[in-house]
Amino acid sequence: MEYELPEFYSPQLIELDGVKINYVRKGSGPALLLLHGFPGFWWDWRYLIEPLSRHFDVIVPDLRGSGDSEKTDPARIEDYEIGQLAEDQARLLEALSIEKCHIMSHDYGSMAAHKFLRKYPEKVDKCVMLDPVMPVFTEGAITPSDWYALFNALDMAETLISSTRKSTEAYYRHFFDSWGHKQPVLNEEEFEVLIDNYMKPGNILGGLNYDRANLTPESTPWSPHDYQPTPIETKVLWAAQDSSITIDASRHLHEFYSNYTLEVIEDCGHFVMLEQPEVVLDKALTFLWN
């Protein structure tokens, strides 16, 4: 399906230590890095990029293996570990000559931000987390609702998901139907854009490799350093009806963030920036400009 890209989209590829990263950039002012999650790519932030760019230099990368960023050797699962995603952001900032930035993140992006805040605190001013994934989320037994993490680790997963466009649609529609609260999270045109993205060579496998590297029982995504509380000022926005990263996990925030405030967003599921973009925008701007 052909679709018209937003006016602000100007694809830019940059080489970072052997991987080419695609990113969108708009605006001027303090740098603001937006990190997307799964399933998605830079386009997850489409409702926020334009209004945020009136105040910030907004930089929105496709994480490696997503969108139009390069797909590295699929046999190297370690290339998709959260630590590597965090390193990519450090290299991106260096390549763009940005010494310090704000970060806003969601889902897998929040895992990368969690590591980034601890390894490169000097590069971060403030951080906004949307339904953050903390180390406690990946500990313990896999529950029935986490079936996708085990399925994605199977060798046949990519073949089954990509066998036809309908099978690709069925797989990704599940997450928006199950994790979203305000339905439909995506209208039919938006959903087709998402599927177009996953029909690009390597994008399905790139998404699967996130789970293979970080959510299998054998994976070790966190280091001891990741359990240390960070003093960086952090605003946490948590959706009241997120069935994937539930609000119950917010009780662990004090273990990892020593300078945070929490606000609950009602009538909202997992895809916070898509379901309640105006609320996210208002709360993010109020926090970042204080």
Side-chain angles (χ1 to χ4, degrees):
M1 172 183 176
E2 292 295 326
Y3 61 92
E4 185 176 347
L5 287 167
E7 291 182 3
F8 54 74
Y9 180 57
S10 177
Q12 301 182 68
L13 281 174
I14 191 166
E15 181 90 25
L16 306 176
D17 292 344
V19 62
K20 293 178 182 177
I21 296 296
N22 179 70
Y23 67 99
V24 172
R25 188 176 189 181
K26 183 174 177 61
S28 60
L32 173 58
L33 185 65
L34 306 183
L35 302 179
H36 70 82
F38 169 86
F41 57 120
W42 73 264
W43 194 65
D44 289 0
W45 299 102
R46 61 191 176 278
Y47 297 145
L48 298 180
I49 294 173
E50 183 74 29
L52 285 171
S53 71
R54 298 169 195 152
H55 308 276
F56 301 100
D57 176 9
V58 181
I59 302 154
V60 197
D62 284 328
L63 300 181
R64 62 165 61 207
S66 301
D68 290 321
S69 285
E70 190 174 11
K71 285 68 187 169
T72 54
D73 183 352
R76 287 181 52 83
I77 301 300
E78 61 270 24
D79 284 355
Y80 293 84
E81 290 178 350
I82 293 303
Q84 182 59 66
L85 298 184
E87 284 300 312
D88 287 347
Q89 309 321 309
R91 302 290 83 77
L92 175 61
L93 293 176
E94 289 174 7
L96 298 177
S97 300
I98 295 173
E99 295 183 358
K100 199 164 190 176
C101 70
H102 299 303
I103 294 178
M104 186 183 301
S105 63
H106 175 250
D107 194 80
Y108 262 112
S110 73
M111 293 176 73
H114 186 104
K115 279 189 171 286
F116 192 92
L117 264 59
R118 286 153 181 80
K119 188 166 184 179
Y120 298 102
E122 73 283 358
K123 295 181 181 293
V124 184
D125 190 354
K126 293 182 179 181
C127 183
V128 179
M129 295 279 200
L130 309 182
D131 293 20
V133 179
M134 295 172 283
V136 290
F137 182 82
T138 58
E139 295 172 349
I142 297 292
T143 67
S145 63
D146 301 321
W147 64 269
Y148 64 92
L150 297 177
F151 171 76
N152 290 352
L154 299 175
D155 290 339
M156 65 177 175
E158 181 189 15
T159 301
L160 292 175
I161 297 168
S162 64
S163 58
T164 66
R165 187 177 180 95
K166 285 190 176 297
S167 64
T168 304
E169 291 174 354
Y171 178 74
Y172 291 107
R173 190 180 291 278
H174 162 81
F175 298 106
F176 288 91
D177 288 350
S178 300
W179 293 354
H181 178 68
K182 296 187 71 174
Q183 295 293 341
V185 176
L186 304 179
N187 62 36
E188 286 305 310
E189 182 180 4
E190 290 173 323
F191 186 68
E192 289 300 313
V193 172
L194 179 81
I195 300 306
D196 285 346
N197 168 70
Y198 278 105
M199 296 302 290
K200 293 178 180 179
N203 276 4
I204 290 175
L205 183 56
L208 300 182
N209 278 346
Y210 290 151
D211 285 351
R212 293 173 178 181
N214 302 286
L215 286 187
T216 63
E218 298 79 22
S219 62
T220 55
W222 306 110
S223 70
H225 195 51
D226 296 319
Y227 289 81
Q228 299 299 314
T230 175
I232 292 173
E233 191 174 359
T234 302
K235 167 71 74 175
V236 180
L237 304 177
W238 215 303
Q241 288 81 28
D242 189 341
S243 60
S244 172
I245 307 171
T246 64
I247 187 68
D248 178 65
S250 65
R251 60 192 171 90
H252 294 286
L253 281 168
H254 71 279
E255 301 172 27
F256 305 100
Y257 297 89
S258 60
N259 187 15
Y260 79 93
T261 54
L262 168 67
E263 291 195 50
V264 178
I265 302 181
E266 298 293 343
D267 194 28
C268 188
H270 179 68
F271 302 97
V272 190
M273 63 282 201
L274 297 175
E275 297 182 55
Q276 294 282 11
E278 293 182 359
V279 175
V280 172
L281 177 64
D282 176 67
K283 294 186 180 300
L285 284 176
T286 300
F287 169 69
L288 295 175
W289 277 112
N290 275 343

